[in-house]
Each structure stands twice: as structure tokens, then as C-alpha cells.
Amino acid sequence: MAPHLSSLLLTAWFLSTPSLSRTLFKYERTQLTREYVESLPKEDSKLFAFQDQVIAPNTTDKRCRYGPSDGKWPSEKAWQKLVKQLSSDDALIQTVPQASVCYGDAKNDVKCQNLTKDWSNSYTHIDDPTEILSPIYQGLTCQPPSIYNSGSCTLGGYPSYVIKVQTVLDIQLGINFARNNEIRLVIKNTGHDFVGKSAGAGSMSIWTHGLKDIQFFDNYVDESGYNGPAFKAGAGVQAFELYKAANDHGVMVVAGEGETVGIMGGYIQGGGHSPLSSLYGMAADHVLGFEVVTPIGEFLTANSTSNQDLFWALRGGGGGTFGIVTSVTIKAFKDVPVTTATWTVDSKNLGKDRFWAATKAFFDRTIDYPSNGTYSYFTIVPNGADYQFKMQPLFLPNKSAKDVSSILSSYFSQLTRLNVPFSPKITEYRGFYAAWQTAFPLEPQSDVQLAVGSRLFPRSNFASETGRNITFNVLKETVESGKVLIAFNMAPTLERAGNPDNAINPAWRTSILHIITGIRWDVTASSTEILAARSALTNGTMQRWRDITPASGAYLNEADRMEPNWQQSFWGNKYDRLLQIKRDIDAKDLLWAVHAVGSERWSVESVDGLPNENGKLCKVDEPAAATNRAMRMLE
Ligand SMILES: Cc1cc2nc3c(=O)[nH]c(=O)nc-3n(C[C@H](O)[C@H](O)[C@H](O)COP(=O)(O)OP(=O)(O)OC[C@H]3O[C@@H](n4cnc5c(N)ncnc54)[C@H](O)[C@@H]3O)c2cc1C
Ligand SMILES: *[C@@H]1O[C@H](CO)[C@@H](O)[C@H](O)[C@H]1NC(C)=O
Ligand SMILES: *[C@@H]1O[C@H](CO)[C@@H](O)[C@H](O)[C@H]1NC(C)=O
Ligand SMILES: *[C@@H]1O[C@H](CO)[C@@H](O)[C@H](O)[C@H]1NC(C)=O
Ligand SMILES: *[C@@H]1O[C@H](CO)[C@@H](O)[C@H](O)[C@H]1NC(C)=O
Ligand SMILES: *[C@@H]1O[C@H](CO)[C@@H](O)[C@H](O)[C@H]1NC(C)=O
Ligand SMILES: *[C@@H]1O[C@H](CO)[C@@H](O)[C@H](O)[C@H]1NC(C)=O
Ligand SMILES: *[C@@H]1O[C@H](CO)[C@@H](O)[C@H](O)[C@H]1NC(C)=O
């Protein structure tokens, strides 16, 4: 008996221990090779060659990426050759905007009404190959008419073609095909990006949404020294899927609050704040490795011992920049009980002075709460002549209801002194999953008349009474001018994160508040009026926020598309190294997204002059070329 038992144990030990970092998902084992490309007829091999193959076309000096109306756009025959190489016959999708059922030849009133009814639901857009959640950046060329009447339906900033990715091969073919034909390439996962990075007129899009594999390791061994639970998850895995898997295995992971966010795409590559951020820092702090297809077309691993620069850059350097990630391996943590608290304070019953005094009392404690591991998500909303503060929720991992009463007691006493009634709803949960599921609302698609901006507020702003007063008064004025604040109080310090070295914005480490605000315009506003509104946000409100936080920055994943000095704002002193890594890995700027690392050499020339994706991607003029062009126009 004994030998049998020990051999079983040995087998089990073998299955759950070393070399697990080398595990690839099934879809990652279907790959394109240089040999295969060389075996193709010459005409075909030129379409699919890796950047470094001799047969690859030399493409360097075109001013703009080719679009469907250019003679150099790939022929129908070339697209058919692509279809033939992809891992399935239906992998190449030609874009049909959903709202095309509301216009022209395809008009169908029943379908259009049905679509309009579900339009604001984010799921309507996430499961579509080309829709994005911030539709203004598509250019609003095909919305349901009752939401925005564009008169007709055109592709605008939607890509022309989409590869619905099923294997690594599909990504490699797409990357090589786009580069060799000099067409624009974009990546869409869920389309959550705040500034339209997952869209692009006349582009081919790589759609990673279907990569849903999840694998759990209860004892993952990474050569860097980590030894513990971990997940490897496909690039398409969303928060609700990852959290469910974690719960099934009795662990929790550092991921987003929003249920539909694509955790392994833009979220984690841009840093990723989480309900667990005051305990464990940012999501990207816990990555053990990425599988990634580079702009050259190569599939490789980036981890602490292989391709270390790329590994560093992918953890905070931003999505859509260094490569197309196919899966990410992250640490998991032992589950803990969670308590949440929600409450509302409304000026209607209190008058404005008491309302603001009560709100200030909360801000005065924003240094203290994260020291107890908390993450709070709250809004301050002007509502007619009144204001409402809504905590939804204060999220307290590893705390009981009793702990929460003690943590909130000083705030409570102050509200009592101010004669402000306070009866928060406090709920205890056995673990993270149930608390998260109940606590955070599903966010809808963004409006068609809204632009947002954000700022990270440092702890130092709240360290003295003078600092607290100045900071609070600026935020109060923002609300009094009719704007909403969406605020997150957390402290993802380096220490809480375990002192990792990665590309996350250093401004996060000293911040305690991440606050988003926005500006609205009339749905019928002209381009000039929209630009004026945007200027009032970026150079007005946001400038006042920057003036009181001069050494800080903003979160690239939830920022203003017009962010000035964005390199410093999104990455601080890490930008130079990121730019070097970008130049090394993507010398041809194949991957371009607005305000991504290394994006300076190109811009979208939008057809309506507004900041959006509805136009060609072209090189930014050298000063001399710009002068020449201006001269020609004068002649
Ligand atoms: C409702 C909502 C809730 C949110 N909640 C949170 C939150 O709790 N915490 C937080 O930190 N942020 C949050 N965000 C912001 C979120 O992090 C960003 O929108 C992020 O870019 C989403 O990534 P995605 O892959 O889902 O979106 P997409 O728009 O599909 O992609 C975003 C960017 O990443 C690129 N990208 C996507 N997949 C890949 C890939 N596999 N490889 C390389 N590049 C890729 C895209 O090209 C694009 O540039 C939220 C946003 C919304 C709209
Ligand atoms: C590619 O073309 C550019 C200019 O068109 C030229 O300078 C460069 O040497 C060429 N590179 C190769 C590898 O042929
Ligand atoms: C209405 O929309 C739902 C999804 O939102 C879809 O399942 C259904 O088929 C649609 N019905 C019609 C008639 O288009
Ligand atoms: C990094 O990935 C390589 C290739 O898969 C693997 O051999 C190596 O063990 C990994 N490094 C760590 C630290 O796990
Ligand atoms: C949770 O709280 C317990 C008791 O206070 C503490 O020992 C433990 O370290 C905490 N866990 C985490 C993850 O902070
Ligand atoms: C909250 O944090 C403070 C300061 O670190 C500490 O003194 C207090 O014990 C904590 N309270 C709870 C309930 O954890
Ligand atoms: C801060 O503001 C409060 C309330 O408005 C005021 O009573 C206090 O004197 C101010 N303190 C400083 C240092 O400005
Ligand atoms: C803000 O002002 C600068 C400098 O005048 C200008 O270049 C920029 O376009 C303005 N931003 C917006 C959003 O209007």
C-alpha cells in the first residue's frame, strides 16, 4: 500500500508544482510560424510576413494609414486570403453598426425601437464587435435617432473589419496583415475605454472578447519567489467572470469595481484600481506574467525573467501600445469577510451650509479611512438648487460591522454636533464576492453630450487644515458650478502593493482620492460650442484642480481625451523609459492609440474637427512640412 500512496502523492506534487508558468491555453498553442509564411506563394507571404522577415515589405514613409477609399487599401482578394488563413471561416467580420436598422435601406422600425430600448445597457455594446461605451469618440455617425439623430448611418470611427480572435494565430495574422498593408490596427476587448482607444476609422480591429479561458493554480511557483494561489485568465475575461472563479476557489483577486470591465485588457495594463486597493495596491502590482503578440508578430512571454522590459511596461504602461496580450497570470489572495456601508446626505433637509459642513467632515477623514483598508466610491451631485452626497459604498475588506462603527465613530460624532442625521446601512458579508456583487452598480453606456476629466489628489493636500480647506473649496466650487463628482477614496501605496517595480503612474502611490468630473452640452450643440465646452472643462475646471495638485497626475484609464502634458500626467518620471521600450518593440508605430506611450508622431485628422476617432490616422507634420503646406494653401 505504502509505495502506491507515495507514488500518487508524487504525481500530485508534480501536477501542481514547477514550470507552470509555461502552461499555454489551447488557443495559445495555435500559432503562425516564419517557416509557414515562407512556404506560401510569394504574393501571399508578403501579406503575412513577420516584420523581421526578408520577404516583408519595407513600409516607412506614408503620411497616413491607408483607408477603404485609397487605391492601396487591400483588395477583395487580399481580404479573402486573410479569411482563408484565419482559424475559422467566420473570424473576419465586416462592420455593420447596430443602429443601421434605424436608417436608410436597412431601416426596420421594430428592430430600431427594440435596440433603442436597450441602448444604454452596457451589455448591448460589449458583446458587439465594434461598439464602444463612450460613443462620442466614434463620431456619433450611427446612433438610434431618439438618442442622436445623424440623419444617416455611416461607419464613422468604427473599424471597417474585425478579426474575432479565437487563437494566437488570428492575432499574428492580423498584426502582420495590417502592418504589411499599412492600414490602421486597433484592439477592442470590451470597449470600456473612456477616450475611444478601442475604435478607429478605416481600421482593422482585433477583438479579444472571446478569449475567456480561466485556470486556477492553488500553488503556483514563480521563479521570482512567489509561491501561492494564482489565476491565468484569457484577455477577454471580465470582472464578473474572474470574481466568480475566485469565489469558486475560496480566494479573491485585485480587479475592478465595474462588473463588465475587461480585466486582462486595458484595465490591468493601465494599472487597475480595485475595491482591494487600500489592502493590496493596484491590479497590475500582482501580475506574474503575460502572454503577448508583439507588433513584429511574435508570440512571447513577458515575466520577471523573460522580456523583462516588456513585463515592466505592460504593468501600467497602458493598453493598445506594446503588444496584444492573450492571457495574464496574477496572484490570488485568501478571501476575507467584507462589510459595506452606504448612506446619503441631502442639502434639501439641511440647508447648504450644514450639507457642506457634513461633506467636509468626510473629506477631512480621507487619509484615515484607507489606513483601515477601505475603498470608497461616492458621488456629489447638484440636483436643481440642492446637492446630494451619496456613498455607494464604503467597502471595508476584513472588517466587521463592529469595526465599521468604530471606524466611522468620529465622523458620526461630528455629524451629530452639526445636527445632521446619520444612519448608514451597514451590511456584513462572509466573503469578497457577495459584497462586491451587491455593492457596485452596473454602469450604463455614456451619454452623447458628455466629456470627462479626472485627477489624483495627493495625501499631502489633506495633511494640514489649510490644505484641506483649499482643496475642499475648489471641489465645492466645481459642484456649485453644476458638475458631478465621482470620487474614489483609496491608498494604493507602494508598501501595500509589496514594493513592486513597474510602470504604474507614481502619482497613484501618494494619492488618496481619484476624482472624475465632466461637462455636458446640448445635444444639438455645434462643433464650436462643443469645443468651447471642452475647453471650459480642460482649461477651466481641470486647470484649477491641477493648480492645487501640481506634482500629481491623472489615471490614464479614466482621463480627459484633451489632457495637457499627458506624458507627465499619466506616467510621471517613468515616461522616458516607457518611450524607449515602445520605440524598441514597435519601431513602425503599428499600435497607436490616443495619448498612449509613443503616440506623439501621429494624430487622427477627424472629419468634424472634434477630438474623436472619425478620421484618418496621419503623421504629425514636422514644423517645416507644416509651413510648406500653409504656403501651398496661400498660393
Ligand atoms: C463602467 C466602467 C467601470 C470601470 N471600472 C473601473 C475600475 O473599477 N477600476 C479601474 O481601474 N478602471 C475602471 N474603468 C476604466 C477601465 O479600466 C478602462 O476603461 C479600461 O481601458 C478597460 O479595458 P477594456 O479592455 O475592458 O476596454 P477596451 O476599451 O476594450 O480597451 C481599452 C484599451 O486597452 C486596449 N486593449 C484591450 N485589450 C487588450 C489586449 N488584450 N492587449 C493589448 N491592449 C488591449 C485597447 O486597445 C484600448 O486601448 C471602468 C470603466 C467603465 C466604463
Ligand atoms: C526602407 O525604405 C526607406 C525609405 O523609403 C529606406 O531608407 C530604408 O533603408 C529601407 N529599409 C530597408 C530594410 O530596405
Ligand atoms: C430585441 O432585442 C433583444 C436583445 O436586446 C434581442 O434578443 C431580440 O431578438 C430583439 N428582438 C427583435 C424583434 O429584434
Ligand atoms: C517566464 O517565462 C518563461 C517562458 O515561459 C519561463 O521559462 C520562466 O520560468 C518564467 N519565469 C518565471 C519567473 O516564472
Ligand atoms: C485581516 O484581519 C486580521 C485580524 O485583524 C489580520 O490578522 C489579517 O492580517 C488581516 N488580513 C489582511 C489581508 O489584511
Ligand atoms: C483603523 O485605523 C486606525 C489607524 O491606523 C487604527 O488605530 C484603528 O485601530 C483601526 N480600526 C479598525 C477597526 O481596524
Ligand atoms: C478652515 O475652514 C474652516 C471652516 O470653513 C474654518 O473654520 C477654519 O478657520 C479654516 N482653517 C484654516 C486654517 O484656514
Ligand atoms: C487649452 O489651452 C491650450 C493653450 O491655450 C490649448 O492649446 C488647448 O487646445 C486648450 N484645450 C482645450 C481642450 O481647449
Side-chain angles (χ1 to χ4, degrees):
M1 288 309 282
H4 180 66
L5 184 65
S6 71
S7 79
L8 262 183
L9 284 173
L10 195 65
T11 311
W13 177 84
F14 236 84
L15 283 175
S16 67
T17 329
S19 306
L20 288 174
S21 53
R22 245 163 269 153
T23 308
L24 296 181
F25 285 140
K26 183 153 175 281
Y27 69 76
E28 293 175 320
R29 286 187 221 117
T30 306
Q31 301 169 11
L32 184 69
T33 64
R34 289 176 171 75
E35 295 68 36
Y36 177 76
V37 172
E38 273 158 23
S39 77
L40 294 170
K42 182 121 191 279
E43 192 193 345
D44 298 18
S45 66
K46 272 163 57 185
L47 294 175
F48 304 115
F50 290 74
Q51 183 174 310
D52 55 359
Q53 279 184 297
V54 180
I55 43 174
N58 179 12
T59 55
T60 49
D61 54 4
K62 303 299 175 294
R63 198 179 88 82
C64 302
R65 298 277 188 241
Y66 293 124
S69 59
D70 296 314
K72 295 276 187 73
W73 179 252
S75 64
E76 191 49 41
K77 205 167 126 202
W79 289 107
Q80 284 315 316
K81 285 179 192 289
L82 173 60
V83 172
K84 250 179 67 188
Q85 298 296 335
L86 292 170
S87 59
S88 88
D89 289 344
D90 60 359
L92 189 71
I93 300 170
Q94 204 162 358
T95 301
V96 179
Q98 293 189 101
S100 61
V101 296
C102 303
Y103 296 96
D105 293 345
K107 193 161 187 269
N108 177 322
D109 290 337
V110 174
K111 285 191 178 163
C112 178
Q113 274 166 26
N114 188 34
L115 181 69
T116 305
K117 174 170 63 65
D118 290 333
W119 193 254
S120 71
N121 184 327
S122 26
Y123 284 97
T124 303
H125 308 281
I126 290 162
D127 295 334
D128 180 88
T130 61
E131 295 280 5
I132 57 175
L133 286 184
S134 292
I136 65 166
Y137 297 112
Q138 181 276 332
L140 301 177
T141 65
C142 191
Q143 299 279 304
S146 64
I147 288 162
Y148 185 88
N149 193 342
S150 47
S152 64
C153 174
T154 58
L155 282 189
Y158 291 122
S160 295
Y161 284 95
V162 177
I163 294 181
K164 181 180 174 181
V165 173
Q166 285 149 49
T167 62
V168 160
L169 168 77
D170 294 338
I171 297 178
Q172 293 176 296
L173 287 166
I175 279 189
N176 290 349
F177 185 87
R179 188 188 53 250
N180 295 339
N181 286 292
E182 295 177 78
I183 62 176
R184 184 170 175 201
L185 187 75
V186 300
I187 309 159
K188 169 175 152 152
N189 180 24
T190 61
H192 274 69
D193 190 79
F194 269 46
V195 297
K197 284 177 176 178
S198 33
S203 67
M204 179 170 77
S205 172
I206 305 285
W207 189 31
T208 56
H209 183 55
L211 303 179
K212 295 287 192 186
D213 292 24
I214 297 179
Q215 187 178 4
F216 178 66
F217 305 95
D218 50 13
N219 187 28
Y220 187 93
V221 179
D222 183 277
E223 288 164 26
S224 66
Y226 180 72
N227 191 335
F231 279 100
K232 175 179 161 87
V237 169
Q238 290 168 266
F240 69 94
E241 295 159 326
L242 188 62
Y243 284 146
K244 177 168 190 315
N247 185 57
D248 289 346
H249 291 97
V251 295
M252 59 184 190
V253 290
V254 182
E257 55 82 15
E259 73 178 63
T260 55
V261 177
I263 298 304
M264 301 311 177
Y267 168 85
I268 207 161
Q269 293 171 53
H273 68 78
S274 165
L276 297 176
S277 280
S278 298
L279 273 192
Y280 291 122
M282 307 286 282
D285 291 328
H286 304 291
V287 175
L288 294 164
F290 297 90
E291 310 298 339
V292 53
V293 182
T294 68
I296 288 170
E298 205 157 36
F299 179 58
L300 49 78
T301 300
N303 63 19
S304 64
T305 53
S306 300
N307 302 296
Q308 287 143 316
D309 278 341
L310 181 57
F311 181 52
W312 183 83
L314 284 171
R315 288 174 297 153
T321 309
F322 303 98
I324 303 186
V325 167
T326 64
S327 69
V328 187
T329 305
I330 58 168
K331 294 176 193 172
F333 298 90
K334 197 171 152 295
D335 199 8
V336 294
V338 173
T339 299
T340 63
T342 56
W343 68 88
T344 301
V345 179
D346 204 312
S347 74
K348 208 179 298 174
N349 322 311
L350 304 172
K352 291 194 178 117
D353 291 347
R354 271 197 293 155
F355 171 82
W356 286 118
T359 302
K360 173 97 180 348
F362 183 81
F363 276 88
D364 285 347
R365 289 165 176 77
T366 47
I367 289 185
D368 299 342
Y369 293 147
S371 75
N372 291 107
T374 71
Y375 173 87
S376 57
Y377 177 33
F378 61 99
T379 54
I380 305 179
V381 180
N383 181 11
D386 285 301
Y387 305 111
Q388 190 179 65
F389 173 102
K390 191 169 179 192
M391 176 58 67
Q392 54 172 16
L394 179 66
F395 193 88
L396 302 105
N398 209 22
K399 300 290 175 202
S400 63
K402 205 165 144 248
D403 294 334
V404 174
S405 301
S406 117
I407 289 167
L408 288 176
S409 66
S410 107
Y411 176 57
F412 181 61
S413 312
Q414 192 168 348
L415 294 194
T416 306
R417 281 196 299 278
L418 290 165
N419 196 18
V420 172
F422 182 63
S423 49
K425 180 165 182 273
I426 295 178
T427 315
E428 278 186 338
Y429 298 90
R430 286 231 301 272
F432 176 88
Y433 187 55
W436 168 80
Q437 267 187 319
T438 318
F440 297 100
L442 170 68
E443 287 101 334
Q445 191 191 38
S446 277
D447 288 347
V448 295
Q449 61 219 85
L450 170 74
V452 301
S454 72
R455 192 75 183 161
L456 294 167
F457 288 80
R459 175 184 297 266
S460 56
N461 274 49
F462 292 85
S464 70
E465 189 178 325
T466 310
R468 285 195 292 275
N469 280 8
I470 292 171
T471 309
F472 182 75
N473 285 334
V474 167
L475 294 170
K476 178 174 170 237
E477 280 163 23
T478 303
V479 178
E480 285 170 340
S481 76
K483 297 187 183 68
V484 171
L485 302 187
I486 299 176
F488 298 86
N489 175 211
M490 70 187 107
T493 63
L494 268 180
E495 192 189 359
R496 290 289 183 148
N499 294 302
D501 176 19
N502 58 35
I504 290 175
N505 191 346
W508 267 118
R509 305 307 185 176
T510 50
S511 74
I512 51 154
L513 280 165
H514 160 48
I515 311 185
I516 304 173
T517 189
I519 197 159
R520 293 177 165 276
W521 50 84
D522 193 89
V523 75
T524 61
S526 66
S527 291
T528 313
E529 288 163 339
I530 294 172
L531 288 173
R534 296 204 66 134
S535 168
L537 177 70
T538 306
N539 285 335
T541 307
M542 298 315 293
Q543 186 57 45
R544 282 193 284 284
W545 290 20
R546 286 191 293 274
D547 287 343
I548 56 164
T549 57
S552 192
Y555 179 34
L556 73 107
N557 272 345
E558 297 182 323
D560 184 355
R561 182 161 170 138
M562 307 298 279
E563 181 80 12
N565 195 12
W566 49 269
Q567 295 90 336
Q568 187 281 327
S569 189
F570 297 158
W571 292 286
N573 62 8
K574 294 183 178 170
Y575 191 73
D576 291 347
R577 181 172 173 200
L578 282 165
L579 183 60
Q580 191 55 54
I581 295 170
K582 169 69 176 175
R583 295 289 186 243
D584 289 347
I585 202 162
D586 190 12
K588 290 178 184 274
D589 293 339
L590 176 69
L591 294 178
W592 185 92
V594 66
H595 297 174
V597 170
S599 60
E600 297 86 350
R601 301 199 280 219
W602 301 76
S603 71
V604 176
E605 298 184 351
S606 76
V607 298
D608 55 9
L610 292 173
N612 62 40
E613 292 297 334
N614 185 12
K616 281 193 153 187
L617 180 64
C618 299
K619 281 186 183 152
V620 172
D621 279 342
E622 302 290 330
T627 313
N628 286 339
R629 192 185 319 222
M631 298 289 280
R632 279 200 306 275
M633 284 169 77
L634 286 174
E635 279 161 12

